[in-house]
Amino acid sequence: MEESLKYAFIRYQQKNKILFTKSDPIIEHLQLLLNQYNRACITLWALTLAQEMADYLSTINPNELQFIKTVEICKLWAQGKCKMPKAKEEILICHRLANDYNIENNCFIHALAQGCSVCHTIKHAIGFPIYELSGYIYKYGFDNAEYYINNRINYYEELLVKCNNMKNNLEWAKFIINKKTITS
């Protein structure tokens, strides 16, 4: 087992639901990367990941439209076309819905909600990989998760560069463009 999964395995044995923390080397690495980008880039990155997760969750339960709705409302919030109370309400609905799903999809739903919460504060950005990577371990098991997690980390990194190149082509609320960076 790769060193980066060692702590996750210990948490799994302790029956923790969330298998990664901010102090894990794999998450610290992502946080350092995120710290290099501005708020618009990180918001686009998180909302892109949230949209992909909503699309995936729609294949799990096609009758549940809340995940797509939450992402759409939060995109409007990031553009200044919706106020925080409405978006916050939608995000909290997602968090509550997570309890209706198995542990794997519970993690994925919380990841989506964390991605959408980045509009409020980009400190939530690291929550997406913490939850999603935990879900990957539940989905693939420890014997197979390393491959998927490494691919996902690479994707996060590539998507950050792509979002950084695209961020200026989008409409942003003033509260997004008036703040520069994050600190952990």
Side-chain angles (χ1 to χ4, degrees):
M1 179 184 320
E2 187 177 314
E3 182 71 19
S4 62
L5 297 182
K6 178 175 85 171
Y7 301 108
F9 186 70
I10 292 168
R11 289 184 198 99
Y12 179 80
Q13 289 179 316
Q14 295 171 336
K15 307 237 185 275
N16 292 359
K17 182 170 86 171
I18 305 309
L19 305 177
F20 293 91
T21 68
K22 291 179 182 181
S23 63
D24 289 343
I26 196 168
I27 301 301
E28 285 181 337
H29 166 75
L30 288 171
Q31 186 64 65
L32 287 172
L33 285 175
L34 287 166
N35 288 342
Q36 296 174 29
Y37 294 93
N38 69 17
R39 187 170 184 178
C41 174
I42 296 167
T43 302
L44 179 58
W45 178 80
L47 289 175
T48 300
L49 291 169
Q51 180 66 62
E52 292 170 356
M53 185 59 73
D55 294 342
Y56 169 75
L57 291 167
S58 293
T59 68
I60 302 299
N61 185 353
N63 295 323
E64 181 57 71
L65 304 176
Q66 182 61 47
F67 308 123
I68 299 291
K69 179 182 178 188
T70 299
V71 175
E72 291 304 315
I73 293 290
C74 289
K75 285 178 181 178
L76 292 172
W77 182 23
Q79 295 171 359
K81 297 177 180 176
C82 171
K83 296 291 184 185
M84 183 176 78
K86 177 63 179 160
K88 180 180 176 183
E89 175 186 332
E90 298 300 326
I91 292 166
L92 291 174
I93 291 170
C94 277
H95 278 302
R96 286 191 300 271
L97 278 174
N99 296 324
D100 296 338
Y101 289 82
N102 65 23
I103 187 76
E104 165 195 329
N105 292 319
N106 179 292
C107 288
F108 291 156
I109 294 165
H110 285 301
L112 180 150
Q114 288 293 308
C116 289
S117 297
V118 168
C119 294
H120 178 252
T121 174
I122 51 179
K123 291 179 181 181
H124 286 289
I126 203 65
F128 189 95
I130 286 172
Y131 279 100
E132 184 182 50
L133 297 178
S134 295
Y136 269 57
I137 290 176
Y138 290 113
K139 182 174 183 171
Y140 298 109
F142 272 98
D143 293 338
N144 302 311
E146 184 177 333
Y147 168 81
Y148 294 100
I149 287 174
N150 287 336
N151 283 343
R152 201 62 183 160
I153 297 294
N154 289 335
Y155 178 70
Y156 294 151
E157 293 172 5
E158 292 167 7
L159 186 60
L160 265 171
V161 172
K162 182 179 175 183
C163 290
N164 193 49
N165 293 331
M166 293 173 35
K167 70 181 187 287
N168 294 332
N169 301 331
L170 301 171
E171 180 181 355
W172 295 108
K174 287 181 182 177
F175 72 90
I176 299 280
I177 56 176
N178 288 341
K179 294 195 179 176
K180 292 187 178 184
T181 58
I182 61 173
T183 56
S184 40

